[in-house]
Amino acid sequence: GNVAGDCAELRDNVIRAGAVEPILANVRQPESLSLLRNTIWAMSNLCRGKPGVQIEVARQVMPVLANTVMLCSDEDTLIDACWAFSYLTDGENERIDLLVEHKPVVQALVKHLDSKSSSLIAPVLRTLGNVITGTDEQTQVVMDSGILSHLLQLLQHPKKSLRKETCWLISNIAAGNRRQITMLLEEPRLIHEVLQHLAWGQWEVREEAAWAISNLCMSKEHVQKVVELGAIKPLCELLTASDPNLVSVVLSALESILQVSEENGLDYDERLEDAEGLDKLEELQGHKNEDIYLKAVSILERYFPAGEEDVGED
């Protein structure tokens, strides 16, 4: 386990030496809890590293890990097994399928989100988040396992890393299909909590919350619901962020909001101005990033024509 955990090259050497099957044999029939813990820890290290282990190894390991998570109640064992899951699902959709094929395991993982141990929640959340980055079908397996009802308590968790990871997971649901976005918006307390992080959260959490709300705003049929929940003001506040990628995402979200407003005769342009968004958009005309400058100018010229003269003068 120590050798495999050092780097991907040594990990692959251990695998080529034939370590996988003997370790799996000890996981299947451990002589003691101590041995089970050690073998699952070693297996976790065999699954770790970039690039990921060969798909054949992942296919060999996944059923044994799945069986362990379903049957074992030992927290230390579960933690290492779930970290192994997180490593195996970090990659192409074919790897995610290896876990999704075991739907009862996905359901068991979702239930572990209620654990009192943040050390267990962390790998479970990462694993489920990895699955949600996959196809719509893979995402739906997690959604159908009832994950949404577990996320509010995680957004309120005292551990910052778990709040951040939860916002990241939600942002990937928000980038899903129509059905998945609708399911997400049917949990208004959840979106309200994400908006609280967007407005007041610590920066790392706030950044992930911004991606979540921005992704929701890119679905035009859902924009009105997101706006009514209070998205405009905290989005406008992020126009002064130092990260150009984040500013660009927020600009795209605001542009989508303004487009929906224009198409439906709504007052979102006025709400944006009331939130000091217009002033911030005008300031972005001096941004050193050309893409941000051009996007800000485009928004101003289309949705705030009264400012055309100012845009021209700048």
Side-chain angles (χ1 to χ4, degrees):
N2 281 330
V3 174
D6 189 72
C7 66
E9 182 180 358
L10 290 176
R11 175 204 68 194
D12 292 342
N13 287 342
V14 171
I15 292 172
R16 280 193 293 269
V20 174
E21 191 50 49
I23 291 175
L24 290 179
N26 280 287
V27 173
R28 292 187 190 102
Q29 292 184 310
E31 290 188 358
S32 66
L33 177 58
S34 176
L35 180 60
L36 177 63
R37 287 174 175 173
N38 284 333
T39 51
I40 287 291
W41 168 78
M43 182 56 60
S44 177
N45 278 342
L46 284 175
C47 298
R48 187 178 182 179
K50 296 277 189 162
V53 295
Q54 293 183 351
I55 192 71
E56 292 78 12
V57 176
R59 191 174 285 113
Q60 184 181 4
V61 166
M62 189 69 80
V64 179
L65 286 172
N67 191 58
T68 301
V69 168
M70 291 294 295
L71 299 178
C72 182
S73 59
D74 177 64
E75 185 177 296
D76 289 342
T77 302
L78 286 171
I79 289 169
D80 283 327
C82 289
W83 276 120
F85 276 147
S86 77
Y87 305 141
L88 292 172
T89 54
D90 183 13
E92 59 268 23
N93 295 338
E94 185 180 4
R95 293 176 181 273
I96 294 173
D97 260 338
L98 296 177
L99 175 60
V100 171
E101 287 169 1
H102 302 276
K103 290 185 181 179
V105 180
V106 176
Q107 294 166 358
L109 289 172
V110 168
K111 290 179 181 177
H112 283 309
L113 292 175
D114 288 336
S115 171
K116 294 181 180 179
S117 168
S118 60
S119 296
L120 176 56
I121 293 171
V124 170
L125 201 52
R126 177 66 59 83
T127 299
L128 295 170
N130 286 344
V131 175
I132 288 172
T133 65
T135 64
D136 288 343
E137 292 74 20
Q138 290 167 340
T139 297
Q140 196 60 47
V141 171
V142 180
M143 300 286 281
D144 291 342
S145 297
I147 192 171
L148 293 179
S149 64
H150 298 264
L151 296 182
L152 181 62
Q153 63 189 15
L154 294 177
L155 287 171
Q156 298 168 342
H157 199 281
K159 202 170 181 64
K160 180 180 71 174
S161 61
L162 295 183
R163 299 195 303 274
K164 175 187 174 183
E165 198 88 358
T166 304
C167 285
W168 167 71
L169 184 149
I170 290 171
S171 76
N172 284 308
I173 296 175
N177 62 28
R178 177 181 179 183
R179 178 187 177 192
Q180 289 154 3
I181 296 171
T182 299
M183 289 175 70
L184 183 58
L185 287 172
E186 286 173 351
E187 302 284 341
R189 291 179 62 203
L190 201 58
I191 303 304
H192 175 76
E193 195 68 28
V194 175
L195 286 166
Q196 289 298 304
H197 287 303
L198 180 61
W200 310 109
Q202 292 172 282
W203 177 250
E204 296 91 337
V205 183
R206 196 179 179 197
E207 191 172 15
E208 295 296 342
W211 281 96
I213 298 302
S214 296
N215 284 346
L216 284 174
C217 290
M218 300 316 295
S219 173
K220 290 187 171 56
E221 66 180 290
H222 296 103
V223 162
Q224 292 186 43
K225 181 72 175 286
V226 181
V227 170
E228 293 309 316
L229 288 169
I232 289 180
K233 185 173 177 57
L235 283 173
C236 289
E237 291 294 327
L238 282 175
L239 290 174
T240 58
S242 59
D243 181 355
N245 291 326
L246 183 59
V247 174
S248 181
V249 168
V250 170
L251 283 171
S252 295
L254 291 173
E255 187 173 27
S256 180
I257 288 171
L258 290 167
Q259 185 175 345
V260 169
S261 179
E262 182 181 70
E263 292 171 353
N264 295 277
L266 303 171
D267 65 344
Y268 298 165
D269 54 338
E270 295 176 15
R271 297 194 199 185
L272 186 145
E273 190 169 357
D274 290 342
E276 300 180 355
L278 180 55
D279 292 339
K280 291 181 172 65
L281 284 169
E282 289 174 344
E283 289 171 6
L284 288 177
Q285 294 173 102
H287 202 282
K288 61 184 178 181
N289 183 295
E290 185 177 5
D291 289 340
I292 290 174
Y293 155 74
L294 290 173
K295 191 174 285 190
V297 169
S298 175
I299 292 172
L300 286 166
E301 289 181 343
R302 175 168 179 179
Y303 299 106
F304 299 96
E308 278 187 3
E309 184 177 343
D310 294 334
V311 172
E313 288 176 1
D314 187 76

